[in-house]
Structures are given as structure tokens and as C-alpha cells.
Amino acid sequence: MCGIVGYIGGQEATPVILEGLKKLEYRGYDSAGIATLAAGESAIRRSEGKLVNLENLLREHPLTGAIGIGHTRWATHGRPSEINAHPHKAGPIIVVHNGIIENHLQLKDELRQLGHSFKSETDTEVISHLIEEKLKGGPDFENAVRLALAELRGAYAVCILNEREPDTLIAAKLGSPLVAGLGDGEFFVASDIPAILAHTREMVFLEDGEMAVFKGGAPAFSTIGGAPLEKRPRHIDWSPLMAEKGGYRHFMLKEIHEQPRAVRDTIAGRLLEGEGDVYLEDLPFSDRQLAGVKRIVIVACGTSWHAALVGKFYIEWHCRIPVEVDIASEFRYRHPVIDEHTLVMVISQSGETADTLAALREAKGRGARVMAICNVVDSSIAREAGGVIYTHAGPEIGVASTKAFVTQLTALYLFTIRLGRATCAIDANSGLRMIAALKRTPALLEEALKLDGHTERIAKKYMNARDFLYLGRGRNFPIALEGALKLKEISYIHAEGYPAGEMKHGPIALIDEDVPVVMLVPRNSAFDKTLSNMEEVIARGGRVIALCTEGDDEVRGRAEDVIALPSIDEDLDPLLLSVPLQLLAYHIAVLKGTDVDQPRNLAKSVTVE
């Protein structure tokens, strides 16, 4: 999830692009770069770190030219560094890219055999070399781009320049957002509206498989295959702040709605469908090493700890390896019993959580093999772990974690498949079934998001409650914990999550007509038991908000309010159930007037113990 800005027109390009990148820095801030063309020659400036570093470089070494492209990076392939920063150049071709090219390793091998030499660790550099190679075959710039894009698998939004055609800017997309802004004799391209809103409010939104060519003061839109398209601009009347949030009222709501995309990006390029297995590119453990693991300890804090609890269910259920889950702030102080046969997995969105980092170091010091699940490339935890599974959620601005949590669950499921195949606990057919279920999940998340309005109506009904109880069983018990945490974090309402079967051991005393009880009762192997627990709540006057499977009349006939979700493989219930719980917490918080994106006393990344 990176920021892209392109410009062609009568102004100096650099100030326009730099201003746009500042508006998009929330999309990526580990490196940045700009390229311009002037007098048939290109110049590139790139810098590691936040955008201010690029600004300082441009003061010392300015760029000129009325055509250019820029980028703020959120690393997915290759650590944050100047050499991995965009733009990337091969011959006369210069590219910036947002997305993930799934077949970049294959393409890189093929291009090396043709004499190409690569400088970076990124998947993006492959695109510039591939276009350069196509140009050698005789097609013009535009058609060389079409031929190259046809060979890419994955997701991309690209802006492309050619030193030999200094009056042309090409943009295209597949699976990653891209918008074109139409001005008076000038044109803008960006990965999000806020970057160019100060210059034009006439926007053309490119759809998947579409391309825009800006040349000679005119735009031309077509499919990547070459079929011409008529695209009408849309007038945008958002305020600049609203535009930064993609039209959503808060970053949290925007990030909730980004979850289908985040899950798609996290599984992209990792599913080996012909083998019923997965490929985890930054996890260097062999099958033999994984088969030697006798015990797993997962360590995390807060929302990541809830993900870890779900991971315990996944691994023990499918791989039959014992798993313990520890809170990172407690791990070091109980003298953990771990050795070289123990795999310690640490989970952290930021990769900088102090307690989790300390736990990682403790585990390494005791001889354990250590891996991480993390959202930030080259963060401290990612660097120090022996292997890592990156969640491709993109930057998460809202303090209350949403898309990072769901991608952690996705990464844990991917790891379960890999571990199970390595240990022969999961056969090829079972792996294929699990992969097929995971592939369907982003579309089902999109269906769940359509319940936003219905969830808001339920939120209005219960917003004044002082206490909530969340109940679930099995792999959904941690989701009850997570739902309660979300409500506490942003609405400041007291809420508790419990295993539904434990209700009789204390929490049942709290139930009356003033305490809403959120029941997680999808149609799965624990359905009958959970339904029985729901009946116990109702018998004591409890007001039940039930999350169930579509068409479940048994639940609908008993609960006071129902949120019905699409049917999904029960392994993946936790991902789907998370969406309405996030929305319920969000809408209650908005109705109560709290600061949703920056709730009191909380920080996004806890970097002190």
C-alpha cells in the first residue's frame, strides 16, 4: 500500500509531486523518491526514511522538468533502503509501482538469462526491465507497456516514463487503486484522491485492466489489451481531510473496509494450488526443520495476542503440535521452559512492540528457533527473528487495530498449512481445501461489509449500555475477546469476552435486561452448545445480539437482534465475525462522540515496557 503521484503539463513537476506525496505519506513512509524528465534526460532522487529526507535531498540537488513520477514506499519486497526505493529504472524506462507482482522471481530469472542486471530486492524493478526488453522487439512505448503488463501476475498500479518519449506518461492498474486528474492542459495520476485534490476536482477512476496514456496535451483511455474506452470524469467535492480518509469519516472505518484488499494482498503469490501448499518467501525453515518442532509458543500483546489464541486452535487442530500462547509482558518473568525443539512465534503489527521484542530476545537467548508475524518490513522484530511472515495490510493509522488483526489471522492460517504439509499432518487434498476456503474469504468479507448500515442501527439501540458481554466457543472465543476489546478501546464502555461455556462459572450473575450479550453462533461444530448457552442468557432476561450464519432461523427466532453473515469454512469464522464486531464498536463510539482514531490514553505502537 504505497503512494503514487504522476504529473505532466506546463508546471514544474517536482513541487506538484512532492506536495502530493505529503498527502499520501500515510500510505507509506519507509522511503520515497521522484523522477523527472527534462531535455530528453531523466533524473532521479531517492531517500530512505520519511519524506522529509527526500525534501532535504531535493533542496541540495533539485530536479527540473514538466513531467515526473513520485512514490512513498511501504515495503513488501526488500528492506527499506535507498536502493529499494522507487522509482526504478532500466534503460530508458522509469517505473513507480504499488502492489505485489506474484511472478517477479520467475520473470527476474528469465530476464537475467537475457542479460538484464538487477540492483534492488524489489518486485517493481522487474517491471522496468520487462518493458525495456519488450521495446527491443520493435513495438512503440505504449505497446511495449501493454505486452509487459500482460505477463504480470498479481496486483499493480503503475506510472511509467520513457526518456525517449518525454511528452508521454502512462498509467495502468490491476487490483490496486489509481485515479487520474484532468486539468487544463495538464494531467495528474495518484493512488488516492488527496494527492491531487488541490489541483483538480475532475477525476477519472481507472478500473482493473485499464490504462491511461497522457500525450500531447490529451488523455487516451483503453483496456490493457488495447480496446479504446470512453471515461467520464467525476467531480469530487470532498474536503481535503475527508479525501485523505478516502471519503470515510475516520481512518478506522476506512481500514475496516480495506480488509478484503488486505487479505488478498497477504495471500497473493503464496498459494501453491497445484500442491495444496503455501510459499512463505521470508520463512527460511526447511521441511525437516519444521518437522523437528515439538512445541510452539506464540507470544504477543493486545489484539495480536487474540490472533495468537486463534492460531493455537489452527495449529493444534490441523498439525497436532502443542501450542502455548503467552502475553509478551509476562513471558520473560516466568522463566519460560523452551529449548532448541521449541518454535517461538512472536506477533506484532509494528514490529517495534517493546515487550514482544524483549520476549523474542529471551527466546533466542534460550536456544529456541524464533519467527515473527509482522506488518512492517525491516522492523526490529522482523530483523531479529529467524524468519518472518509479512502481513500486507499496509499502514494502519487508526489506533484500534482492524485490518492488521485480520491479516494476522490470515498469516497464521497460511503458516498452519505450511507446517501441516511439512509434517505430513495435512495431506495435499486437505491443503487444497484449506487454500480454496482462504481464496473465497476476501469476497465474503466484502459481503460482511454490506452489513454496515444494519450494524449502525443496532449500535443506536445499545449505545447507552454501561456493560457488554461477548461470548464465543472454540476458535471464536478469542474473537469474543477481540470484540470486547474494540468496544472498550474506542467507546470507553466496559466489556468482557468469555468462552461461552464458562458463563455459568461467574459471568451469568451479571446478566439482566441492562447488559447486552453479543453471542457468536455461526453454524459450525460448536453450534449446538453455543445455542444452548444463548438460551441460558435469554432465560435470565438477557438481551442477545447474535452473529449467525445467513438463513439460520433457529437463532433469528430467539435473539433480540441478529447480524447474519455468509456461510464460510469454520476455520475462517474468526475473520468474518471480526467485521461486524469492529463495525459495532465503531458506530457506538461515533454515536457517543469519542475520538475514534485516537482514543484516550492509547498509542498505536507501544515501544516502552
Side-chain angles (χ1 to χ4, degrees):
M1 185 174 173
C2 307
I4 287 174
V5 183
Y7 174 77
I8 181 169
Q11 303 183 57
E12 279 292 318
T14 299
V16 174
I17 295 168
L18 193 58
E19 176 191 1
L21 293 179
K22 288 178 181 177
K23 301 289 179 59
L24 295 182
E25 193 172 11
Y26 69 91
R27 295 179 64 92
Y29 38 78
D30 60 44
S31 59
I34 293 177
T36 59
L37 296 180
E41 293 187 0
S42 66
I44 298 175
R45 305 285 182 266
R46 303 185 301 191
S47 176
E48 183 182 351
K50 293 188 179 293
L51 194 59
V52 65
N53 296 339
L54 180 63
E55 284 188 272
N56 293 335
L57 179 64
L58 287 166
R59 287 191 194 98
E60 297 177 17
H61 305 284
L63 292 174
T64 60
I67 178 173
I69 53 179
H71 190 267
T72 59
R73 184 169 184 250
W74 178 264
T76 56
H77 291 84
R79 61 188 175 83
S81 65
E82 187 275 332
I83 199 69
N84 286 331
H86 301 209
H88 289 285
K89 184 173 186 288
I93 302 300
I94 308 163
V95 174
V96 293
H97 162 237
N98 179 19
I100 299 171
I101 304 304
E102 296 178 16
N103 59 334
H104 74 282
L105 293 176
Q106 172 196 332
L107 291 171
K108 186 176 285 190
D109 287 343
E110 293 171 0
L111 288 163
R112 280 188 175 127
Q113 292 174 22
L114 294 169
H116 290 258
S117 177
F118 292 84
K119 299 176 181 177
S120 78
E121 305 165 297
T122 69
D123 54 342
T124 300
E125 191 182 358
V126 167
I127 303 173
S128 55
H129 283 271
L130 189 58
I131 297 170
E132 181 197 19
E133 182 64 30
K134 298 302 179 186
L135 278 172
K136 295 177 183 176
D140 59 22
F141 177 31
E142 183 179 332
N143 283 310
V145 170
R146 295 185 195 280
L147 291 170
L149 295 181
E151 294 190 21
L152 302 182
R153 289 203 318 268
Y156 57 79
V158 291
C159 273
I160 308 161
L161 300 179
N162 182 351
E163 284 179 327
R164 297 170 190 162
E165 296 195 27
D167 64 342
T168 304
L169 171 65
I170 296 179
K173 72 156 291 214
L174 181 70
S176 291
L178 204 62
V179 59
L182 308 184
D184 185 8
E186 59 182 356
F187 305 98
F188 311 81
V189 178
S191 50
D192 213 345
I193 291 169
I196 55 179
L197 194 63
H199 299 278
T200 179
R201 290 180 177 266
E202 302 304 311
M203 308 283 184
V204 173
F205 293 87
L206 296 184
E207 302 293 338
D208 283 351
E210 292 184 354
M211 191 164 99
V213 179
F214 304 98
K215 183 175 184 178
F221 299 98
S222 62
T223 66
I224 288 170
L229 295 171
E230 291 291 330
K231 302 284 286 186
R232 291 188 177 183
R234 179 175 140 201
H235 182 78
I236 302 297
D237 55 8
W238 294 345
S239 69
L241 183 60
M242 186 63 78
E244 189 174 325
K245 296 172 182 174
Y248 294 100
R249 186 172 176 180
H250 296 95
F251 278 111
M252 181 181 177
L253 185 61
K254 180 175 184 281
E255 287 158 4
I256 290 171
H257 281 263
E258 286 176 342
Q259 288 177 125
R261 188 276 311 160
V263 171
R264 282 192 183 98
D265 285 355
T266 300
I267 65 178
R270 290 172 164 171
L271 304 181
L272 303 176
E273 296 180 69
E275 303 167 35
D277 204 344
V278 299
Y279 168 65
L280 300 174
E281 64 276 16
D282 295 300
L283 198 67
F285 304 149
S286 67
D287 283 6
R288 184 176 180 180
Q289 288 173 318
L290 289 173
V293 172
K294 304 304 180 187
R295 176 168 158 262
I296 296 174
V297 178
I298 312 179
V299 184
C301 299
T303 284
S304 297
W305 182 68
H306 297 157
L309 291 170
V310 177
K312 172 183 171 69
F313 280 95
Y314 286 161
I315 294 167
E316 289 190 342
W317 184 275
H318 291 287
C319 303
R320 311 309 298 157
I321 294 174
V323 179
E324 298 170 27
V325 177
D326 251 303
I327 293 174
S329 57
E330 297 290 328
F331 180 74
R332 283 188 300 157
Y333 302 108
R334 65 171 183 83
H335 300 293
V337 181
I338 52 178
D339 58 23
E340 68 274 12
H341 300 297
T342 307
L343 174 64
V344 175
M345 177 191 295
V346 298
I347 305 178
S348 168
Q349 187 281 135
S350 67
E352 304 295 343
T353 310
D355 287 315
T356 309
L357 182 58
L360 181 155
R361 290 168 176 166
E362 178 77 11
K364 287 177 71 175
R366 291 176 178 266
R369 184 171 286 122
V370 179
M371 62 167 287
I373 291 176
C374 184
N375 193 39
V376 181
V377 173
D378 212 38
S379 58
S380 297
I381 284 173
R383 289 196 307 271
E384 295 195 28
V388 62
I389 303 173
Y390 286 115
T391 57
H392 296 311
E396 190 174 62
I397 308 301
V399 166
S401 181
T402 53
K403 62 179 181 174
F405 173 67
V406 168
T407 55
Q408 286 170 352
L409 297 178
T410 304
L412 284 160
Y413 201 60
L414 289 168
F415 175 74
T416 299
I417 299 171
R418 177 79 282 274
L419 179 64
R421 295 293 285 126
T423 60
C424 299
I426 297 174
D427 62 24
N429 287 336
S430 297
L432 286 168
R433 180 191 61 77
M434 295 170 75
I435 286 170
L438 190 55
K439 281 185 67 178
R440 289 193 296 269
T441 300
L444 296 176
L445 290 172
E446 288 169 350
E447 290 299 310
L449 287 166
K450 294 176 183 178
L451 298 167
D452 191 359
H454 176 60
T455 307
E456 183 178 12
R457 289 189 289 274
I458 293 174
K460 290 176 181 176
K461 184 175 178 179
Y462 297 99
M463 62 174 285
N464 292 315
R466 294 183 60 185
D467 303 277
F468 271 73
L469 192 60
Y470 289 70
L471 301 175
R473 277 183 177 266
R475 52 181 65 73
N476 296 329
F477 152 56
I479 305 307
L481 294 176
E482 175 63 12
L485 176 62
K486 284 291 155 284
L487 189 67
K488 283 184 281 195
E489 283 181 309
I490 61 173
S491 74
Y492 318 143
I493 293 173
H494 173 253
E496 295 296 335
Y498 264 87
E502 282 292 290
M503 181 181 58
K504 295 184 291 294
H505 298 276
I508 199 166
L510 299 173
I511 292 172
D512 61 22
E513 65 276 5
D514 295 322
V515 179
V517 181
V518 180
M519 297 286 311
L520 308 184
V521 277
R523 281 277 175 178
N524 59 23
S525 55
F527 173 77
D528 290 337
K529 295 292 186 184
T530 314
L531 187 66
S532 175
N533 298 139
M534 190 177 88
E535 294 282 15
E536 291 168 343
V537 172
I538 295 168
R540 285 155 181 83
R543 305 177 68 188
V544 172
I545 305 167
L547 275 62
C548 68
T549 304
E550 280 177 341
D552 195 328
D553 294 332
E554 267 190 281
V555 174
R556 189 175 292 278
R558 291 169 168 80
E560 182 169 339
D561 288 284
V562 168
I563 301 174
L565 294 157
S567 178
I568 192 171
D569 187 290
E570 70 174 289
D571 268 347
L572 301 169
D573 275 339
L575 283 78
L576 203 58
L577 291 168
S578 296
V579 172
L581 295 183
Q582 294 164 355
L583 290 169
L584 181 65
Y586 170 79
H587 287 301
I588 289 175
V590 169
L591 290 164
K592 293 181 76 68
T594 65
D595 188 341
V596 171
D597 285 334
Q598 295 182 318
R600 68 189 183 202
N601 303 332
L602 295 175
K604 184 63 188 169
S605 178
V606 182
T607 56
V608 295
E609 292 191 57

